[in-house]
Amino acid sequence: MNRDETPAREGDPSPGREVVQGTVERVTYADATSLYTVLKIDPEKGYDIPAGRGPFRPTRVTAVGRVDAPTEGVRVRLEGRWTEHKNHGLQFEFELLEVLQPRDRYGLVRYLSSSRFPGIGEKTAERIVEKLGDKALEVILADPKSLIGVRGLKLETREALVGALFAEAGTHRANVFLRELGLGPQQSAAVIRKLGLECEALIRNDPYVLASGIPGIGFALADRARAALEIAVDDPRRARAGVLHALRLASEEGHTLLARERLLQNAQALFGDAIPLEALESALGVLVEQRNLVEEEGKLWLPHLYHCESELAKNLARLLALAPVRPLADARALAAAEQRSGIELHPLQREAVLGLLAAPVALLTGGPGVGKTTIVRFVVSLAESVGTRVLLASPTGRAAKRLSEATGGDAQTIHRMLGYDPVGQGFLHDAQNPLEADLVIVDEISMLDVVLGHHLLKAVAAPTRILFVGDPNQLPSVGPGNVLHDMLGSQVVPTYRLTHIYRQSQGSLIVTNAHRILDGEEPELPEPGDRKSDFYFFPADDALKCAERVVEVVTQRIPQTFGLDWTKDVQVLAPMYKGECGVDALNERLREERAKSFKTVRELRQGARVWRVGDRVIHTRNDYEKEVFNGDMGEIVRVGDDNSLVVRFPEREVPYTGAEVGDLQPAFAITVHRSQGGEFPAVVFPLVTQHYVMLQRHLLYTAVTRAKRLVVLVGSKRALRMAIDNAEQGSRESALAKKLADLRS
């Protein structure tokens, strides 16, 4: 075929899509994790830029989308749509990329001599095509020995070529199959990485293998695959997968276990009448027999959660059994420390300091303003004065920074203290290599889940002691478990509760109102016109007015009245992501306000998300290479042309490229859960009845206690009353308290 002839079309596009077909001239950018890719395509005749698209029509098409391992020289068919990028101009955003066979000898030679097949140059590729003809690829796959005798083709190069062609053919077959099941490029790549090129056979045997821990794929997608494969709705494999899914959903809600009856009810709710209760009971029995579930006294666990909860209880009991231990300080040493610091402790505070220094395991609890930080400072000072090696840690980076500032010591995240390896996903410190310390102090343990708690406690070996500090009225951990409440409920961990309020400056309402909210009382508000208070309520009856008022309060009223820089010092906390007063919508409003301060705003587009210079962002996972941790907040200060950006954190600037940008979320507004462990100069909190599902006393209390200088509530009095009246925190099913009490009895 002449290169200028119009090729036969490979198929009509899906509705609403256009097609570009041609050869990959250059891979401009490709991220191995996110699969975000920029290609330069040499289009075939009839597939170039349509008429009317811009003042000129370049000969090469810029195509952007997600694809695994793109290769130059490959002939492809893209489905997507034409878009106009603000900085990069006209480009084709593809949703589907299909690798096509080379359409002529020229394309075949170009393909075989591409970077996909190292060691094969253009001359060798020409000899292969000359020997095997236009169907060279099919001939090689049918008989690899057909390559024997090609001049210049060494044995190792020949074997590598055959292996690569078989792998590519397998990948192509797998991708076609997975696409027919409705999976996207990233999902397909993840499946192939986890299950291999023979994934089709595995999925046909049991489609729910897709829900076995593959990133981005869960039960719902696996169930759609089951339907696509025409497997019956009452198939036993579906029943077993549904029971497992119901228990996994419960763990995402914070439960470590479910009673048998409740688990079966939850599983049946997934299926309705499609699967009878008897079939689910049978499925549950099979799962227990196969050790995919653990059953004990009528309760069911996922195996890893059963292990973590049981071992956490055993290790706490092991350390508690060390009592009595030598006190690290006495009353005389404490009195001297009080004199040196110029602080006179309350008798109950003195009792707490001395008790904490005389126990192998102990717990310090209390709300805002009751002196927890003061107690911890005295404990650290007195312990170190007698040569005790002290380690300070918190579940998140932001909480660790607060602990470090409060004590003057070097605090770190629990992950970092244990030496987390993100590649091996394990910890350096464990039972065989315990922490090198005499005393470990862990703050903000309301955020500690049962899995991290297990890894922490097994790395603490006698005679090391451990002290936990936390507020039981804060929201519980995001992960499964109820560690703080279970330790309290076991009644075997020595506990010192602080209740008297000490930290309260003249006229301050933040601490007072936090405790009023806990007591079910409405906040005390200043007199109208009072501009010296630290707690305000601005009425707004509906969600739209509330959103507008929040933006006004944040960007105008607070800066004008209190002199705070809203782009750095004011944090909006919201109960939910969705809705006009949710995190997502408020972030967009505040980002637009921020953009107004720039004459020209640099942007980075990744799919539907747009990042701009000036955006406040939050990092969402622990990254030990970058030394940026979950909860760290900063500002985008640069956006590059290579899909990169730079974030300025308080300590330094950090670059992000490709998939790394996915570790960021907009943060002018964040959820209350995301704010745990943090503290902000000013907090603004919207209260609307649309958020009734999340309007809870403890959530409002947590939001208020994140503020150092100022709290502003915006919304309706009805929504405020709903939050205060709702004292239900959503009880979590767990067994740590019982296991711990049983071990100590």
Side-chain angles (χ1 to χ4, degrees):
M1 178 185 288
N2 189 315
R3 288 192 68 213
D4 292 329
E5 292 179 21
T6 301
R9 292 186 176 270
E10 304 284 344
D12 294 327
S14 302
R17 293 180 183 172
E18 297 176 271
V19 172
V20 166
Q21 191 166 295
T23 302
V24 178
E25 185 87 355
R26 187 170 76 252
V27 179
T28 304
Y29 177 84
D31 185 86
T33 304
S34 70
L35 307 187
Y36 182 78
T37 302
V38 181
L39 305 173
K40 286 292 184 183
I41 304 294
D42 180 6
E44 296 173 1
K45 190 174 182 180
Y47 290 100
D48 56 358
I49 296 174
R53 295 280 186 176
F56 61 91
R57 298 172 67 187
T59 58
R60 296 294 180 267
V61 171
T62 299
V64 297
R66 300 187 187 278
V67 61
D68 193 22
T71 303
E72 295 175 356
V74 174
R75 183 168 171 251
V76 294
R77 178 180 183 276
L78 309 173
E79 284 191 16
R81 60 192 178 91
W82 293 99
T83 61
E84 187 76 33
H85 189 277
K86 183 176 181 180
N87 298 322
H88 304 298
L90 186 65
Q91 58 187 24
F92 189 78
E93 288 189 5
F94 63 88
E95 300 175 34
L96 174 67
L97 180 148
E98 182 179 0
V99 177
L100 304 176
Q101 291 287 329
R103 64 189 176 99
D104 54 20
R105 289 199 170 207
Y106 172 85
L108 190 53
V109 169
R110 187 177 181 186
Y111 173 62
L112 287 171
S113 59
S114 69
S115 59
R116 178 161 290 204
F117 308 110
I120 299 180
E122 187 174 340
K123 291 295 183 184
T124 304
E126 287 175 350
R127 294 187 192 112
I128 292 173
V129 175
E130 183 179 344
K131 183 176 189 295
L132 303 181
D134 292 353
K135 303 292 185 181
L137 300 181
E138 297 173 24
V139 172
I140 294 168
L141 290 171
D143 181 14
K145 292 182 180 179
S146 62
L147 286 167
I148 296 174
V150 174
R151 185 162 52 90
L153 187 60
K154 298 178 181 178
L155 174 62
E156 59 270 22
T157 305
R158 186 176 77 228
E159 291 177 343
L161 169 60
V162 171
L165 284 175
F166 271 95
E168 183 168 285
T171 301
H172 179 66
R173 284 195 305 271
N175 275 308
V176 170
F177 171 70
L178 295 170
R179 188 171 74 237
E180 289 172 349
L181 295 183
L183 275 67
Q186 279 184 292
Q187 294 167 326
S188 297
V191 170
I192 294 171
R193 280 195 295 269
K194 178 74 181 288
L195 303 181
L197 295 179
E198 302 306 316
C199 58
E200 179 175 352
L202 294 171
I203 294 167
R204 287 188 182 279
N205 180 61
D206 183 359
Y208 297 98
V209 71
L210 289 168
S212 60
I214 299 174
I217 300 179
F219 175 81
L221 200 152
D223 204 40
R224 289 204 299 271
R226 185 269 314 157
L229 294 171
E230 299 182 347
I231 295 174
V233 294
D234 60 350
D235 190 279
R237 292 169 293 184
R238 188 176 190 233
R240 292 195 294 271
V243 172
L244 278 175
H245 179 59
L247 196 51
R248 289 182 184 127
L249 284 177
S251 72
E252 292 173 6
E253 294 172 355
H255 306 291
T256 61
L257 61 92
L258 283 183
R260 170 182 271 265
E261 183 179 351
R262 183 175 177 186
L263 175 56
L264 290 170
Q265 288 175 347
N266 289 2
Q268 192 164 37
L270 294 171
F271 301 124
D273 297 330
I275 299 180
L277 183 61
E278 296 77 17
L280 293 173
E281 289 176 335
S282 175
L284 193 154
V286 172
L287 290 168
V288 172
E289 183 179 335
Q290 294 176 344
R291 299 185 180 180
N292 290 311
L293 291 181
V294 177
E295 184 169 19
E296 188 177 89
E297 297 180 355
K299 295 180 173 60
L300 282 302
W301 286 258
L302 295 170
H304 77 284
L305 290 180
Y306 179 83
H307 174 76
C308 289
E309 196 165 58
S310 300
E311 290 300 306
L312 176 54
K314 289 177 184 176
N315 282 311
L316 278 169
R318 169 179 58 82
L319 294 174
L320 285 165
L322 298 174
V325 295
R326 178 182 60 83
L328 297 177
D330 56 19
R332 179 183 297 179
L334 177 55
E338 288 183 67
Q339 188 171 11
R340 286 194 302 272
S341 65
I343 296 175
E344 182 178 354
L345 297 178
H346 186 278
L348 292 177
Q349 291 180 310
R350 293 193 188 101
E351 179 186 344
V353 172
L354 295 175
L356 295 170
L357 288 167
V361 181
L363 177 58
L364 175 67
T365 72
V370 296
K372 293 193 303 296
T373 301
T374 300
I375 300 302
V376 172
R377 274 202 301 264
F378 272 99
V379 167
V380 171
S381 175
L382 288 166
E384 290 182 337
S385 70
V386 293
T388 303
R389 297 171 300 172
V390 179
L391 286 178
L392 303 170
S394 286
T396 67
R398 195 162 57 233
K401 183 178 179 182
R402 287 182 60 197
L403 180 60
S404 182
E405 292 170 348
T407 61
D410 182 18
Q412 53 195 325
T413 65
I414 297 173
H415 282 82
R416 189 172 216 183
M417 181 177 69
L418 294 177
Y420 182 66
D421 174 15
V423 177
Q425 296 189 345
F427 291 96
L428 170 66
H429 291 289
D430 54 18
Q432 285 68 48
N433 182 30
L435 293 166
E436 297 178 0
D438 302 307
L439 173 63
V440 178
I441 299 177
V442 185
D443 195 14
E444 296 284 1
I445 69 156
S446 60
M447 293 189 287
L448 185 67
D449 62 57
V450 72
V451 176
L452 186 55
H454 156 61
H455 288 291
L456 169 64
L457 265 295
K458 76 174 181 179
V460 178
T464 301
R465 312 175 189 199
I466 188 163
L467 163 61
F468 298 101
V469 183
D471 181 353
N473 293 306
Q474 297 283 348
L475 292 173
S477 60
V478 174
N482 213 5
V483 175
L484 173 53
H485 283 268
D486 280 351
M487 283 199 291
L488 289 168
S490 72
Q491 298 185 346
V492 298
V493 179
T495 301
Y496 296 87
R497 293 180 174 85
L498 302 177
T499 57
H500 184 75
I501 300 174
Y502 300 95
R503 178 175 60 84
Q504 184 176 353
S505 60
Q506 186 67 31
S508 172
L509 291 177
I510 293 177
V511 173
T512 297
N513 285 335
H515 288 274
R516 286 178 65 88
I517 289 167
L518 277 185
D519 292 336
E521 301 175 0
E522 290 194 10
E524 182 181 328
L525 299 175
E527 294 293 328
D530 185 342
R531 296 194 169 200
K532 295 183 179 180
S533 182
D534 60 4
F535 199 106
Y536 295 89
F537 180 89
F538 283 82
D541 291 333
D542 62 63
L544 179 58
K545 289 181 180 177
C546 182
E548 294 170 347
R549 179 61 65 88
V550 165
V551 174
E552 177 197 1
V553 167
V554 169
T555 63
Q556 299 178 37
R557 288 178 178 261
I558 290 178
Q560 292 169 4
T561 304
F562 298 95
L564 294 174
D565 181 350
W566 76 268
T567 65
K568 295 179 174 62
D569 298 330
V570 183
Q571 184 61 56
V572 177
L573 303 180
M576 300 173 66
Y577 282 99
K578 302 303 180 184
E580 291 171 316
C581 279
V583 165
D584 294 338
L586 291 174
N587 262 319
E588 286 308 304
R589 286 177 176 269
L590 292 167
R591 289 174 70 240
E592 291 297 328
E593 290 297 318
R594 177 63 171 137
K596 291 178 182 178
S597 60
F598 296 90
K599 290 183 179 179
T600 303
V601 181
R602 294 280 294 170
E603 293 182 348
L604 166 63
R605 291 182 178 269
Q606 280 199 342
R609 177 154 283 175
V610 179
W611 301 98
R612 300 189 185 107
V613 169
D615 283 353
R616 186 191 302 170
V617 292
I618 185 168
H619 191 90
T620 58
R621 72 176 183 90
N622 292 327
D623 188 329
Y624 295 90
E625 292 184 8
K626 290 183 177 295
E627 295 190 339
V628 185
F629 302 99
N630 187 9
D632 288 352
M633 298 176 73
E635 179 185 349
I636 296 176
V637 292
R638 282 198 300 282
V639 171
D641 292 329
D642 57 347
N643 294 289
S644 68
L645 53 82
V646 176
V647 177
R648 179 181 294 145
F649 292 99
E651 297 82 11
R652 60 198 176 90
E653 293 185 356
V654 177
Y656 288 77
T657 60
E660 295 172 346
V661 178
D663 293 335
L664 300 173
Q665 286 186 4
F668 285 115
I670 60 176
T671 63
V672 180
H673 285 84
R674 177 69 72 184
S675 76
Q676 284 182 271
E679 196 172 52
F680 311 97
V683 165
V684 177
F685 186 75
L687 283 157
V688 292
T689 54
Q690 284 88 339
H691 290 164
Y692 71 93
V693 175
M694 292 295 294
L695 289 179
Q696 301 166 355
R697 183 181 299 179
H698 292 275
L699 184 133
L700 177 58
Y701 168 83
T702 300
V704 167
T705 55
R706 298 307 90 203
K708 292 169 63 176
R709 293 175 53 188
L710 178 67
V711 171
V712 180
L713 306 181
V714 181
S716 71
K717 282 292 185 72
R718 183 178 173 216
L720 174 61
R721 191 67 253 176
M722 288 171 65
I724 293 171
D725 288 345
N726 184 8
E728 294 297 323
Q729 207 170 350
S731 61
R732 294 189 169 194
E733 296 290 336
S734 62
L736 178 61
K738 183 179 185 304
K739 288 178 180 290
L740 186 54
D742 289 347
L743 288 167
R744 291 291 292 160
S745 61

